[in-house]
Amino acid sequence: MATDYGYDSGLGFPEVRHRLPAGLRAPFEGRTWREFGYVLLSLPISILMFTYAVTMVSLGAGLLVTFLGIPVFAAGLAGCRGLGALERARARGLLGLEVADPEPLRTRGSGFMAWIGAVLKSGTSWRTLLYSVLHLPWALFSFVVAVNFWVYGWALLTYPLWFWVFPAYAGQDGLQLYGDETHHIYLDNPFEIGVTALVGLLFTLATPWIVRALTTVDRVMVHGLLGPTRLSARVVELESDRGVVVDTAAADLRRIERDLHDGAQARLVALAMDLGLAKEKLTEDPQAAARMVDEAHGEVKTALQELRDLARGIHPAVLTDRGLDAALSSVASRCTVPVQVEVDLPSRPAPAIEGIAYFTVSELLQNVSKHARATGAAVDVWRVEDRLLLQVVDNGVGGADVSAGSGLAGLAERLDAVDGILVVDSPVGGPTRVTAELPWRGDRV
């Protein structure tokens, strides 16, 4: 197969450019042969799965009058789950179909009876049983169609090479096209042989696409019956998000505790000591005591400011009282570069979403102050249907990357925990545009 090798300027890896169109090279591609091999293997494997499933279900149903029926039935379903894992592996290896494993068995308690109950209640068990029963007729149909097209196509295409077998060994002029008691039509002259080869070529070129269409149905069956359902995938996603939320909350509590211990608490302890010394010197040296009280007054102001900053980082009072517009304007005023804030919301979102939006913009503006080397930034907040969108833009040096394990990665995880999305567009040299999308939940007055 004629190919030409170039180089992808973006990645540096060799890029293969085929000189033949896809329709002509399809019969020789590895994908075609893997798909044909999948169809060939489907028939014996489906016979095995069908026989096992029907035998175990019938045996279990027949024994339901005794105690043995339920364990046999559960064992049959468990075996079907194992065969389903084999089918997923076969589809992954031959069709390149990546199907995640379905949800595992969720047993309540321990012991054999708990396992039986989990197998019987699992939707995966029943879907694999359904796959074992339904796949046999389809595998038989696919096998017959694919093998016939493949064999007849190559046989007719190569007919000019082996038509001499008929006069030499079969006692007839060529391949018989039609025959009865009085008339016989053989493909024996050069024109008929050429037309036969041309028909074989058409069959050969069409066969890969026919096989691909057949395996498309297999892909749908494997993905729909042997993979996880949307509900179970959503449950797994929510469990993962719950873990992120718990970890984030624990990290926030540790940060608050550290800030209190190292900041305001330390200042208050020092303040108490200073006031105690001032009290002792009040009668002996009033002037020194006055200086110490004045210094303590400054420490009180500093401690109060640190407490305000800490409370503002958790959930500022202005956010609760006046909403995102005023709260984000307050955050923007503390940024090291001028920030233009525009909030266009018809009403206020739920408190949790509002708090996450505030935290997101605060973190992004802190990044602008610390890393962007920008001279200006802008914050836009608006609502589109049932989504709240935030966008922070700066004219800095760019180069921000979520995958680099920076604070943006933690911010993306926090948003993902509430079905949010963080998109970062930050080419080297700038500008940087960070867009966050949150669900709009629970309008409040």
Side-chain angles (χ1 to χ4, degrees), residues 146-313:
V147 169
N148 275 280
F149 269 89
W150 200 279
V151 171
Y152 278 107
W154 283 102
L156 295 178
L157 178 61
T158 59
Y159 182 61
L161 302 178
W162 57 273
F163 80 96
W164 55 270
V165 172
F166 292 96
Y169 297 101
Q172 61 186 43
D173 296 334
L175 185 65
Q176 184 174 341
L177 183 62
Y178 173 77
D180 56 22
E181 296 180 355
T182 58
H183 298 87
H184 300 279
I185 299 177
Y186 298 100
L187 303 175
D188 53 358
N189 61 61
F191 174 76
E192 294 173 345
I193 294 174
V195 172
T196 301
L198 179 61
V199 173
L201 177 62
L202 295 178
F203 271 66
T204 302
L205 295 178
T207 298
W209 307 103
I210 294 174
V211 172
R212 193 157 300 172
L214 295 173
T215 55
T216 298
V217 178
D218 287 281
R219 288 184 173 93
V220 173
M221 294 181 68
V222 171
H223 190 276
L225 295 177
L226 301 182
T229 61
R230 291 184 178 180
L231 178 60
S232 63
R234 181 60 176 162
V235 169
V236 172
E237 180 182 355
L238 290 177
E239 289 178 347
S240 176
D241 291 345
R242 182 181 63 182
V244 172
V245 170
V246 171
D247 293 342
T248 302
D252 289 341
L253 288 175
R254 289 193 297 270
R255 176 180 59 83
I256 294 171
E257 181 182 8
R258 183 179 63 251
D259 292 343
L260 287 173
H261 183 271
D262 297 341
Q265 181 179 349
R267 290 187 181 277
L268 291 175
V269 171
L271 174 63
M273 296 175 63
D274 291 342
L275 290 176
L277 293 175
K279 181 179 179 180
E280 294 178 358
K281 290 183 176 291
L282 185 60
T283 57
E284 299 176 1
D285 190 354
Q287 294 182 351
R291 287 196 303 270
M292 296 180 69
V293 170
D294 187 61
E295 292 176 357
H297 183 257
E299 287 293 322
V300 169
K301 291 182 178 180
T302 303
L304 287 175
Q305 184 61 40
E306 289 182 352
L307 288 174
R308 290 192 192 100
D309 293 340
L310 182 60
R312 188 183 295 116

Side-chain angles (χ1 to χ4, degrees), residues 88-173:
R88 288 193 299 271
R90 188 166 70 96
R92 187 180 303 112
L94 295 178
L95 299 182
L97 179 64
E98 292 295 335
V99 179
D101 294 335
E103 64 277 10
L105 290 177
R106 298 180 181 272
T107 58
R108 294 183 178 180
S110 58
F112 184 62
M113 296 304 298
W115 176 83
I116 290 177
V119 172
L120 294 177
K121 293 178 182 178
S122 173
T124 301
S125 303
W126 296 100
R127 290 198 307 273
T128 53
L129 175 63
L130 182 62
Y131 177 88
S132 301
V133 174
L134 294 181
H135 194 251
L136 176 61
W138 175 251
L140 179 61
F141 174 78
S142 301
F143 182 89
V144 173
V145 172
V147 169
N148 275 280
F149 269 89
W150 200 279
V151 171
Y152 278 107
W154 283 102
L156 295 178
L157 178 61
T158 59
Y159 182 61
L161 302 178
W162 57 273
F163 80 96
W164 55 270
V165 172
F166 292 96
Y169 297 101
Q172 61 186 43
D173 296 334

